[in-house]
């Protein structure tokens, strides 16, 4: 399986090199993989740095865009780039080291029994380090709101550290979505779930950035709130049946206290949903 890790950047020069190099190293120990930086003309020179890294290492690529166009837009461009080039798996990862690139192999491994692996802060063994109480409350409250309005059974639907099988992004028409920011993350997860794909939440530790500034804004939060309400009103609260899954159903689920994963069997109706723990796929 050939993987692509997409890293959107706006003013992340302080951490980009470390994040990209660590991602490349994590991928090199896990089959073949590339990294794509999608930079929106960062004034701090992140794009120039990314171009230099791409010159030095063939597994690193960069997409330069003019002006800040939003996280959703950056991912749409990155997904289109990766799908055109035939990658089997496309990952999302932030550049500010809040996501630990060393967790990439666990996300990729989880695709042996799922179509989408979400690095989750809110399942057992997942957590957030150094977020102010207000930010944590916003994130947890936002996720409760998403579950209530849409029925999607995810603890962390706004997470931005993920691995998707390419077919999920094709089937959900991801490059034509219009939402941005957290709304984009919610929309892709919701579409995948409604289409009957199997989602798994893999616990991660999310560490607040040490340098640079968050691009989170009131506009991003309010977009997520109103769009989620519209999706909840318009769409079904249950997934479609889906046949021909590529993952192998695990024969005997085994609980593991060290490496628990929350698996949502999306081939079932919501009333039949159950949560089981699985050992990380080998
Ligand atoms: N290309 C691009 N990247 C963005 C944009 N907004 C945010 N990002 C990147 O998306 C990632 C997550 O953003 P961040 O501000 O850390 O969000 P937070 O972790 O929720 O506070 C980082 O790598 C940002 O540089 C944007 O408009 N364009
Ligand atoms: Mg961040």
């Amino acid at each position: 399986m050939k993987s692509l890790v997409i890293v959107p950047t706006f003013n992340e020069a302080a951490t980009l090199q470390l994040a990209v190099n660590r991602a490349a190293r994590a991928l090199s120990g896990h089959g073949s993989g590339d990294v794509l930086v999608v930079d929106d003309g960062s004034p701090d020179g992140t794009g120039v740095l990314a171009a230099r890294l791409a010159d030095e290492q063939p597994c690193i690529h960069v997409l330069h865009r003019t002006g800040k166009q939003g996280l959703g837009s950056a991912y749409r461009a990155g997904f289109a780039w990766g799908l055109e080039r035939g990658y089997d798996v496309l990952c999302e990862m932030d550049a500010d080291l809040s996501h630990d690139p060393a967790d990439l192999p666990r996300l990729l491994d989880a695709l042996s029994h799922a179509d989408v692996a979400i690095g989750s802060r809110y399942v057992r063994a997942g957590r957030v380090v150094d977020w102010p109480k207000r930010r944590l409350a916003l994130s947890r409250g936002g996720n409760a709101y998403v579950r209530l309005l849409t029925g999607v059974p995810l603890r962390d639907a706004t997470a931005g550290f993920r691995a998707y099988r390419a077919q999920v992004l094709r089937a959900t028409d991801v490059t034509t979505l219009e939402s941005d920011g957290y709304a984009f993350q919610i929309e892709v997860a919701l579409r995948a779930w409604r289409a009957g794909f199997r989602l798994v939440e893999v616990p991660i530790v999310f560490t607040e950035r040490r340098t640079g500034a968050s691009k989170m804004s009131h506009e991003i939060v309010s977009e997520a709130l109103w769009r989620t309400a519209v999706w909840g009103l318009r769409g079904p609260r249950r997934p479609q049946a889906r046949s021909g899954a590529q993952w192998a159903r695990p024969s005997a689920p085994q609980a593991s206290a060290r490496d628990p994963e929350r698996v949502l069997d999306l081939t079932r109706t919501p009333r039949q949903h159950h949560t089981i723990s699985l050992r990380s796929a080998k």
Side-chain angles (χ1 to χ4, degrees):
M1 281 210 305
K2 191 154 193 230
S3 314
L4 178 70
V5 178
I6 301 166
V7 183
T9 56
F10 191 75
N11 287 347
E12 305 290 4
T15 49
L16 181 73
Q17 183 162 3
L18 207 52
V20 162
N21 285 345
R22 284 186 185 167
R25 201 174 322 136
L27 290 173
S28 71
H30 202 282
S32 79
D34 291 343
V35 178
L36 173 69
V37 177
V38 184
D39 184 67
D40 280 5
S42 299
D44 76 344
T46 303
V48 178
L49 172 61
R52 182 165 63 72
L53 296 172
D55 279 345
E56 290 166 3
Q57 300 177 60
C59 69
I60 298 176
H61 308 270
V62 54
L63 202 56
H64 297 282
R65 311 194 316 155
T66 46
K68 190 172 184 313
Q69 295 171 58
L71 185 72
S73 160
Y75 272 126
R76 281 191 291 280
F79 287 142
W81 191 97
L83 291 173
E84 272 165 26
R85 285 162 182 78
Y87 288 92
D88 305 299
V89 173
L90 293 95
C91 302
E92 302 180 351
M93 190 185 87
D94 289 356
D96 57 3
L97 295 176
S98 284
H99 300 147
D100 183 351
D103 288 334
L104 281 166
R106 284 195 307 126
L107 288 180
L108 295 171
D109 281 345
L111 293 186
S112 66
H113 56 267
D115 301 301
V116 182
I118 298 182
S120 177
R121 298 161 287 189
Y122 307 129
V123 288
R124 217 172 104 225
R127 70 197 161 95
V128 176
V129 175
D130 287 345
W131 253 4
K133 279 207 174 81
R134 265 187 52 210
R135 180 80 203 256
L136 189 60
L138 179 70
S139 175
R140 298 219 63 150
N143 273 294
Y145 175 83
V146 171
R147 280 194 302 278
L148 184 72
L149 268 73
T150 66
V152 69
L154 286 171
R155 308 304 304 176
D156 199 350
T158 57
F161 196 16
R162 299 179 172 191
Y164 301 94
R165 286 180 178 278
Q167 62 162 132
V168 176
L169 301 177
R170 285 203 191 90
T172 51
D173 238 346
V174 74
T175 56
T176 64
L177 302 186
E178 283 175 2
S179 54
D180 197 10
Y182 303 116
F184 178 78
Q185 305 292 13
I186 298 163
E187 187 171 23
V188 183
L190 186 59
R191 283 212 183 184
W193 174 66
R194 283 178 170 166
F197 288 107
R198 200 180 208 217
L199 282 66
V200 55
E201 293 191 88
V202 177
I204 59 146
V205 176
F206 176 103
T207 310
E208 173 59 333
R209 58 163 76 238
R210 299 276 179 254
T211 55
S214 170
K215 281 92 211 172
M216 227 268 284
S217 64
H218 291 299
E219 289 73 31
I220 287 175
V221 175
S222 77
E223 184 202 21
L225 291 176
W226 75 258
R227 283 197 192 268
T228 298
V230 172
W231 298 326
L233 288 171
R234 287 210 186 131
R237 290 182 71 83
R238 62 177 57 224
Q240 283 172 13
R242 183 166 204 94
S243 58
Q246 288 185 8
W247 35 263
R249 187 181 290 276
S251 49
Q254 290 172 297
S256 160
R258 275 177 57 81
D259 190 16
E261 280 183 9
R262 187 161 180 277
V263 172
L264 306 165
D265 187 344
L266 303 177
T267 56
R268 291 162 184 253
T269 64
R271 287 180 65 82
Q272 293 172 302
H273 273 147
H274 65 285
T275 301
I276 51 179
S277 291
L278 294 176
R279 207 180 286 283
S280 185
K282 291 287 174 299

